[in-house]
Amino acid sequence: MRIGVACLYYEIDKVLNIIEKNKDFINHIEIGIDTANQIDEIAPFIDKIKELGLSIGIHLAMEINTSENIEFIRENWAKFCFEMCKSLEKFNPSYFNIHMGYAIKNRFLKNNCKYMKNSVDFFLKLNDYLEKLSIKPIVTVENSYNLTKGDVINTGTTKEEFKYIFENTKEIRLKNKSPYFCFDTGHYILNKDDYFSLKDLTKVVHISDCNGEEDNHLGIFCGRLKKVDLKKAIDMNPDYAVIEVKYDYIEESIKNVKDFFKPK
């Protein structure tokens, strides 16, 4: 298992400096990139990433909607993901992470299976695009949460939704490398379910914390995250465990996670 730190593309210089001071523990970085233009912003730092011996994960845009009900738009989201994967291929990322998306609340609650089928269709379409790449990237999909009482609802907030999608994408996962699961501990605090039963499909764990009311990315163990829950997440045996906090909390969180991993 590789231990990493998450950052947005415009924070990469500062975060790499922190990683350099903690290279005895940190050997992975996950970078949030929304558009192709932002790839140019991280390109100057690739040599330093290699020098530090870091593997790279990419978190694609939150706006991506695998459960989109309009087929034309869903097709274009799959194409967008492919184009991003293709543009980033030269950086040899270990995985691309996305969220499942969102839906109109009353429509989703009336027929959530329809939106899960949409997500399955998205991954099948994405797989067709990814077949064009010489190296097929791992794509992970992350658990989410719902807090507001508005008209839009996040999808991917229950174990059953993920089980449905993983069961119905089994054939392409056996052939290629997607989709797999990314478990976020902060989102779990906000929307609990038995995600631990998805252990065999888990590639990434986001080590994140929050106050239990919003996804505010507090320092690790400064919010509601308990060591027992982090242990359960790490016991899912991911390939990558990524500290995902606000920039100001990174150094403290690295120390806290390092202490967590020390033999008792």
Side-chain angles (χ1 to χ4, degrees):
M1 180 174 60
R2 298 179 73 85
I3 309 295
V5 172
C7 72
L8 298 171
Y9 75 95
Y10 57 81
E11 300 172 324
I12 189 168
D13 191 16
K14 297 185 296 182
V15 172
L16 284 174
N17 288 334
I18 293 174
I19 290 175
E20 188 166 19
K21 292 187 289 185
N22 294 276
K23 59 186 179 182
D24 63 320
F25 183 62
I26 302 298
N27 54 15
H28 177 74
I29 186 169
E30 182 176 300
I31 310 167
I33 301 176
D34 292 342
T35 67
N37 290 338
Q38 293 169 4
I39 297 172
D40 294 334
E41 299 290 326
I42 71 166
F45 301 99
I46 294 303
D47 286 343
K48 186 168 184 179
I49 289 173
K50 290 180 179 177
E51 179 187 318
L52 292 170
L54 305 178
S55 51
I56 301 172
I58 300 294
H59 197 312
L60 293 178
M62 293 282 290
E63 289 84 356
I64 293 169
N65 188 6
T66 73
S67 59
E68 170 61 55
N69 201 32
I70 300 173
E71 185 174 359
F72 174 79
I73 298 176
R74 188 168 68 247
E75 169 85 29
N76 278 276
W77 273 129
K79 186 176 180 181
F80 170 81
C81 289
F82 162 69
E83 293 294 345
M84 292 294 285
C85 292
K86 183 179 178 182
S87 298
L88 285 153
E89 193 174 19
K90 58 190 173 184
F91 300 143
N92 193 29
S94 302
Y95 60 85
F96 291 85
N97 185 52
I98 62 175
H99 287 260
M100 199 178 292
Y102 46 90
I104 302 298
K105 185 175 182 178
N106 64 343
R107 296 179 184 176
F108 179 80
L109 294 178
K110 285 179 182 177
N111 189 4
N112 64 351
C113 187
K114 177 182 180 181
Y115 290 89
M116 295 307 97
K117 288 179 179 178
N118 289 345
S119 287
V120 169
D121 178 69
F122 168 90
F123 284 111
L124 295 176
K125 291 180 187 298
L126 177 59
N127 181 70
D128 289 342
Y129 280 116
L130 295 181
E131 285 284 354
K132 301 174 184 178
L133 298 178
S134 56
I135 300 175
K136 310 300 186 293
I138 293 173
V139 177
T140 61
V141 58
E142 181 178 343
N143 59 304
S144 192
Y145 60 91
N146 284 299
L147 294 177
T148 66
K149 297 181 180 180
D151 294 329
V152 177
I153 190 170
N154 280 326
T155 61
T157 63
T158 67
K159 171 195 67 176
E160 293 304 321
E161 292 170 77
F162 286 98
K163 283 183 66 177
Y164 181 91
I165 288 168
F166 292 140
E167 181 61 31
N168 287 279
T169 54
K170 186 184 298 182
E171 288 187 11
I172 62 170
R173 190 165 50 257
L174 291 174
K175 183 180 178 183
N176 292 320
K177 300 178 180 178
S178 68
Y180 281 95
F181 188 48
C182 170
F183 176 61
D184 187 295
T185 61
H187 297 172
Y188 171 73
I189 291 168
L190 297 168
N191 220 114
K192 284 189 166 65
D193 206 348
D194 181 23
Y195 295 114
F196 306 107
S197 61
L198 301 174
K199 174 180 177 177
D200 291 343
L201 292 161
T202 301
K203 293 288 186 183
V204 181
V205 162
H206 281 170
I207 304 174
S208 184
D209 204 346
C210 68
N211 62 5
E213 298 176 358
E214 57 183 324
D215 187 27
N216 53 352
H217 292 262
L218 298 176
I220 301 306
F221 303 134
C222 295
R224 296 288 186 88
L225 181 64
K226 306 299 181 187
K227 290 184 179 180
V228 63
D229 288 326
L230 180 54
K231 184 179 185 307
K232 287 168 70 176
I234 297 302
D235 285 347
M236 295 170 82
N237 197 30
D239 294 335
Y240 306 89
V242 183
I243 300 167
E244 189 183 36
V245 298
K246 289 179 180 176
Y247 171 77
D248 290 342
Y249 307 140
I250 291 177
E251 291 194 80
E252 176 191 13
S253 294
I254 289 174
K255 179 183 180 301
N256 289 345
V257 173
K258 190 174 183 178
D259 288 343
F260 170 82
F261 276 102
K262 283 180 179 177
K264 301 298 185 286

